[in-house]
Amino acid sequence: MHPLRSIGLTATAEDTYLALVQRGPTTPAELASILRVTPDAIGAAAGELTVLGLVEPDGERLVARPPRAALDALSEIRAKELGALRDSADELSRFWRDHHPEGPGYIEIVKTEEARKALQRRIQDEAVHQIRALSIGPSRRTAPLEVAPGSLEALARGVVYSVVYGAQSLRDPIGREIIQTCVNLGERARVFPNVALNLKVCDDRLALVSPPAHAPQRRHYIAVEQSPLLDGLIGVFESYWQMAVPLPAGDESVDDVGDAPTDDTRQLLTYLSGGLTDESIAREIGVSERTVARRIARLQEVLGAQTRFQLGVQAGRRGWL
């Protein structure tokens, strides 16, 4: 796991913070020697960490600060940014419709399933550098998650895939298997509790977007060419990406730790995934809150999870939920 890289910091910044935590207050020159990087690189890394409140100067030395408060504050800021992005998209869309009732030329409504499949395949085949995607995941009323035709071929020729999946994707056995297959082939995958729309962006020039629908036949698809709207959709993806939890490849997993979960463990994970508090869980299973907290901490240790959300991700990957 690379907890700081997953929120957008550089590898040098992460290494600098970990070194400061382990060694205590240290000068930039000593850090440069320890990490075998240039003093300028340490200066840039210290700047990244200082902005987040993870490091502060103490005379000539740098001092690491506890991470919880700083990263909780960052998470709250990014959640507000995502909400602001959604509100801005709604407001700008209404403004656009008021002044362009005939519809902009860079938007096309994809009206048939055949046209949607053709555009999906075009995105896979024409991608040169990267494909970025948001996936709500399957529900009881929609078709199951599947590998998009042409995506494995695109991965094989070096196209960078970055996908944020809705958490429900991991609660579906077929979905978990498909996602893990793609990750093992090089896809960069992350998970977020609630993904609001399905989106696929080919390089920076074409996107296919669809809102959630209760049935596949009622889903609407919109193709978006290069435009401010496409830039906005890319911004929405990047916001999700920053807040989502990374999924490791198969060789980075902790699936060789522990046996199948007990019924008590499954029950505990089910209550956690349902959003119950420690107090509510303790009341449901007849133990103290301290016991609940201790069991959760032990599960996080066994599954290599830094947070409770990551615990749910890892448990879902193992099929424990």
Side-chain angles (χ1 to χ4, degrees):
M1 294 291 293
H2 298 288
L4 295 183
R5 278 186 252 180
S6 69
I7 62 172
L9 293 185
T10 62
T12 302
E14 181 178 68
D15 292 343
T16 298
Y17 181 74
L18 296 178
L20 286 170
V21 171
Q22 291 173 332
R23 298 177 62 86
T26 310
T27 66
E30 290 172 330
L31 286 168
S33 176
I34 293 166
L35 300 178
R36 297 181 179 179
V37 297
T38 65
D40 287 344
I42 293 296
E48 294 180 60
L49 295 165
T50 301
V51 168
L52 293 182
L54 291 170
V55 162
E56 66 180 15
D58 181 13
E60 295 183 353
R61 300 182 299 177
L62 298 174
V63 180
R65 303 297 302 160
R68 173 61 66 182
L71 296 186
D72 281 350
L74 177 63
S75 176
E76 189 171 329
I77 289 170
R78 288 184 172 169
K80 289 179 180 178
E81 288 175 347
L82 181 58
L85 274 171
R86 289 173 175 165
D87 293 342
S88 296
D90 291 341
E91 184 176 351
L92 288 173
S93 295
R94 287 193 295 269
F95 182 80
W96 183 272
R97 287 194 299 269
D98 290 343
H99 292 80
H100 297 79
E102 77 284 356
Y106 55 78
I107 291 179
E108 176 188 354
I109 306 299
V110 182
K111 298 181 178 179
T112 67
E113 184 65 13
E114 291 72 19
R116 193 272 302 176
K117 290 180 178 178
L119 186 54
Q120 284 266 34
R121 188 62 195 239
R122 176 187 163 194
I123 286 175
Q124 314 295 342
D125 292 345
E126 293 185 4
V128 175
H129 303 294
Q130 65 177 333
I131 288 178
R132 289 167 284 190
L134 301 174
S135 175
I136 295 174
S139 71
R140 294 180 179 178
R141 298 182 180 180
T142 60
L145 192 69
E146 61 181 6
V147 177
S151 59
L152 298 184
E153 293 88 339
L155 275 168
R157 68 174 185 268
V159 174
V160 176
Y161 266 73
S162 304
V163 186
V164 178
Y165 293 96
Q168 62 189 12
S169 298
L170 295 182
R171 293 194 283 270
D172 174 62
I174 296 177
R176 287 198 304 272
E177 183 178 349
I178 289 173
I179 292 170
Q180 194 62 58
T181 296
C182 293
V183 170
N184 291 343
L185 291 173
E187 178 181 287
R188 302 192 309 158
R190 296 187 175 189
V191 180
F192 190 76
N194 297 298
V195 174
L197 75 165
N198 293 299
L199 171 69
K200 188 164 289 184
V201 182
C202 173
D203 296 323
D204 291 322
R205 55 188 177 80
L206 174 65
L208 180 63
V209 60
S210 68
H214 293 305
Q217 63 270 23
R218 295 188 177 183
R219 182 171 292 164
H220 296 87
Y221 297 90
I222 303 169
V224 182
E225 301 282 351
Q226 284 183 311
S227 60
L229 177 58
L230 179 59
D231 295 339
L233 290 171
I234 293 172
V236 170
F237 167 84
E238 294 296 341
S239 294
Y240 273 108
W241 184 258
Q242 290 295 329
M243 292 185 291
V245 175
L247 277 176
D251 57 358
E252 297 176 305
S253 72
V254 292
D255 286 349
D256 58 341
V257 179
D259 300 319
T262 64
D263 290 340
D264 288 344
T265 297
R266 288 187 186 276
Q267 185 182 42
L268 175 60
L269 289 168
T270 299
Y271 287 145
L272 274 175
S273 65
L276 272 67
T277 64
D278 288 9
E279 180 183 2
S280 298
I281 295 172
R283 188 165 53 248
E284 290 290 334
I285 63 180
V287 298
S288 68
E289 285 187 58
R290 182 174 296 180
T291 298
V292 170
R294 187 170 62 249
R295 289 181 181 178
I296 293 172
R298 174 56 182 159
L299 280 172
Q300 288 182 232
E301 179 184 352
V302 169
L303 296 185
Q306 300 296 317
T307 66
R308 293 189 176 193
F309 178 54
Q310 289 178 352
L311 175 60
V313 170
Q314 292 288 13
R317 291 182 65 247
R318 287 169 171 258
W320 286 12
L321 290 172

